[in-house]
Amino acid sequence: MIGVISVVIAGIITGNHVLLLAPVVYLAGLRSRDVGLVAYLIFALYAGGRLPPTDLYTYDGLVTSLVFSGSMVLLLDDSLRGKTKPGRLELLVLPLMLLGVLVPEAFIAGVVFYFARGFRVDVRVAAILVTASAIFFLLRNYLGGLGSAPDQVAVLAGFSMFLAVLTMLRGNLKKVDSFRWK
């Protein structure tokens, strides 16, 4: 349930009022996991397109991107789990996220705390995050400035596709019955 709440709060923080429709995606996920995934995909693409292009090398752009992406990952987690009762961890981070309406950094701190406590973070995940950060640090002279948002999206998309292909080749994907016709 924290994903729905976080996306609504992120909509208030970023001024993207499309994010206030997150409960519809969550309810679709409760009805059917497959319908929820399709609804999430459509919602994420549309909501992401409604955000103004920002430079990740500016403070405001980075905060906006982290607020949006963190909340969307939490919404995906909620849609996949289909859990309706909030847990203790969710109730613990909720005040930080609500404080994010006044101080967006508090929202990011709440999301990071939730990720650190709620998800299994191991060396591989840390290595991926450090590698992505290092790539953006090394390319800061080429990816910063006017017109740089599309370049930054291209680098992130390329890195994400590389990780997806690497994960598939290593064969550590969990087999799940999705989109099976009965």
Side-chain angles (χ1 to χ4, degrees):
M1 193 76 178
I2 192 72
V4 177
I5 296 169
S6 70
V7 171
V8 169
I9 295 170
I12 295 168
I13 293 171
T14 62
N16 188 353
H17 301 295
V18 172
L19 295 177
L20 300 177
L21 297 174
V24 175
V25 174
Y26 179 70
L27 292 174
L30 287 179
R31 178 145 172 87
S32 166
R33 184 177 178 176
D34 295 338
V35 172
L37 285 173
V38 171
Y40 174 81
L41 175 67
I42 293 168
F43 178 72
L45 290 173
Y46 184 72
R50 302 287 296 171
L51 285 175
T54 59
D55 188 357
L56 293 178
Y57 292 104
T58 63
Y59 186 74
D60 291 336
L62 183 62
V63 167
T64 301
S65 298
L66 289 174
V67 165
F68 177 74
S69 61
S71 65
M72 292 304 287
V73 170
L74 288 176
L75 179 63
L76 178 62
D77 183 54
D78 273 0
S79 297
L80 291 176
R81 287 185 192 204
K83 190 171 75 167
T84 57
K85 186 178 178 186
R88 287 185 1 209
L89 179 59
E90 293 174 342
L91 295 175
L92 184 66
V93 299
L94 187 60
L96 274 174
M97 291 184 172
L98 288 172
L99 183 63
V101 173
L102 301 174
V103 182
E105 293 82 2
F107 181 87
I108 296 169
V111 169
V112 168
F113 183 71
Y114 185 82
F115 283 147
R117 298 281 304 175
F119 294 116
R120 191 178 67 139
V121 178
D122 60 358
V123 176
R124 293 175 289 189
V125 173
I128 290 169
L129 293 175
V130 168
T131 304
S133 299
I135 288 171
F136 268 87
F137 179 75
L138 292 173
L139 297 176
R140 69 184 179 277
N141 293 331
Y142 302 104
L143 295 177
L146 294 174
S148 62
D151 296 336
Q152 293 170 16
V153 168
V155 169
L156 276 177
F159 189 69
S160 299
M161 285 191 282
F162 168 73
L163 289 177
V165 168
L166 185 65
T167 303
M168 283 191 248
L169 291 177
R170 293 203 56 204
N172 82 28
L173 288 178
K174 200 172 172 183
K175 297 198 182 211
V176 178
D177 291 334
S178 287
F179 299 112
R180 283 240 167 144
W181 299 101
K182 294 176 182 165

